[in-house]
């Protein structure tokens, strides 16, 4: 079915539009949908399942002014991430915020590449030149610092599709962590950026780690060295 949402006009309140969107998405997704508007500048769209019959869709406030085609693409992407839907959403985001290299864009996304021991940008550029012919066009930042409570697992990095942003765990900004390991984590997340579009276009759905992904991952010059270091030093991060 097609969503019936039209371009926001001056006579329609945001609340009215949200109610209309929730109704349309509930029909499209076949689950009760609650849309929550946020001011988050890095997580622009987040989908969270609440049991088997409810979905919470968090969207950045800029989407309140998105035209019909964008909301249609969001609904399609939730059901089956296609290249076309992803492109429509990305294009709208690009038109709705300043250029990525502008100071305003960096401020809005709160990018932080300067660590105590490591600067991410030079490392990212080096990995990009050495392995991708400078074809990876992402933003990069240290992620949030979490409390040092006991934990059984850790994520060293993430690639956020909609914001085209790589976040590296600040726990790696440590003198005990060798540079080659941080570059390996960067390489891994850059592979997600490389294959995200390809997988969506060819398979019509998201494949987190494909066979080709793993083949590329093993091409990293210090792959074996990085995997071995992680095994021997995981206790630095997980207790």
């Amino acid at each position: 079915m097609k969503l019936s949402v039209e371009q926001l006009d001056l006579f329609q309140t945001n609340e009215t539009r949200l109610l209309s969107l929730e109704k349309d998405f509930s029909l499209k997704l076949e689950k009760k949908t609650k849309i929550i508007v946020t001011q988050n500048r890095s997580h622009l769209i987040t989908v969270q399942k609440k049991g088997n019959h409810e979905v919470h869709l968090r969207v950045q406030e800029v989407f309140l002014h998105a035209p019909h085609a964008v909301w249609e693409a969001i609904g399609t992407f939730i059901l089956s991430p296609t290249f076309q839907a992803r492109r429509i959403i990305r294009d709208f985001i690009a038109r709705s915020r300043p250029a990525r290299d502008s100071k305003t864009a960096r401020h809005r996304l709160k990018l932080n590449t300067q660590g105590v021991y490591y600067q991410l940008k030079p490392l990212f550029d080096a990995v990009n030149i050495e392995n991708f012919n400078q074809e990876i066009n992402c933003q990069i930042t240290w992620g949030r610092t979490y409390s040092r409570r006991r934990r059984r697992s850790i994520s060293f990095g993430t690639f956020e599709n909609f914001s085209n942003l790589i976040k590296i765990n600040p726990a790696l900004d440590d003198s005990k962590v060798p540079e080659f390991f941080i570059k390996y984590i960067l390489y891994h997340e850059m592979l997600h950026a490389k294959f995200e579009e390809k997988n969506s276009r060819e398979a019509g759905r998201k494949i987190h780690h494909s066979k080709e992904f793993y083949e590329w991952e093993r091409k990293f010059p210090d792959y074996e060295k990085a995997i071995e270091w992680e095994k021997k030093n995981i206790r630095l991060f997980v207790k």
Side-chain angles (χ1 to χ4, degrees), residues 97-235:
R97 68 188 183 194
R100 288 178 179 172
D101 59 351
S102 72
K103 292 182 179 179
T104 304
R106 289 196 297 270
H107 173 71
R108 284 187 173 185
L109 284 174
K110 297 180 181 179
L111 301 185
N112 174 30
T113 61
Q114 176 67 58
V116 177
Y117 295 96
Y118 290 107
Q119 295 185 51
L120 287 177
K121 188 61 169 63
L123 295 177
F124 174 89
D125 290 341
V127 173
N128 206 4
I129 292 171
E130 294 164 5
N131 302 279
F132 299 102
N133 196 30
Q134 294 183 281
E135 294 177 354
I136 305 301
N137 181 26
C138 293
Q139 298 187 98
I140 182 79
T141 187
W142 290 108
R144 291 174 55 191
T145 301
Y146 294 93
S147 61
R148 292 184 174 274
R149 58 183 174 81
R150 294 176 66 87
R151 55 193 173 200
R152 296 181 180 179
S153 63
I154 187 171
S155 174
F156 289 121
T158 59
F159 169 67
E160 295 179 353
N161 178 25
F162 288 107
S163 53
N164 197 37
L165 176 67
I166 291 175
K167 287 185 177 181
I168 301 300
N169 193 319
L172 296 180
D173 185 28
D174 191 298
S175 60
K176 299 184 183 70
V177 180
E179 181 177 297
F180 69 80
F181 186 73
I182 296 181
K183 291 175 78 172
Y184 163 68
I185 299 300
L186 283 168
Y187 178 84
H188 180 96
E189 300 308 327
M190 291 163 79
L191 283 180
H192 279 299
K194 174 182 176 65
F195 285 103
E196 183 76 30
E197 186 168 301
K198 182 177 186 295
N199 289 335
S200 295
R201 182 173 63 249
E202 294 183 354
R205 60 189 178 90
K206 183 175 180 179
I207 304 174
H208 197 61
H209 291 121
S210 65
K211 179 180 178 181
E212 189 176 9
F213 182 102
Y214 284 122
E215 289 174 351
W216 264 80
E217 186 176 41
R218 293 187 180 90
K219 293 178 182 179
F220 180 70
D222 290 315
Y223 174 76
E224 297 292 345
K225 188 177 177 182
I227 296 299
E228 187 64 25
W229 186 89
E230 180 179 354
K231 289 179 180 178
K232 290 182 178 179
N233 295 276
I234 192 64
R235 290 181 180 271

Side-chain angles (χ1 to χ4, degrees), residues 76-77 80-90 196-205:
T76 299
F77 198 91
S80 178
T82 65
F83 171 72
Q84 178 66 13
R86 180 172 177 267
R87 188 182 68 178
I88 291 172
I89 297 167
R90 276 277 188 85
E196 183 76 30
E197 186 168 301
K198 182 177 186 295
N199 289 335
S200 295
R201 182 173 63 249
E202 294 183 354
R205 60 189 178 90

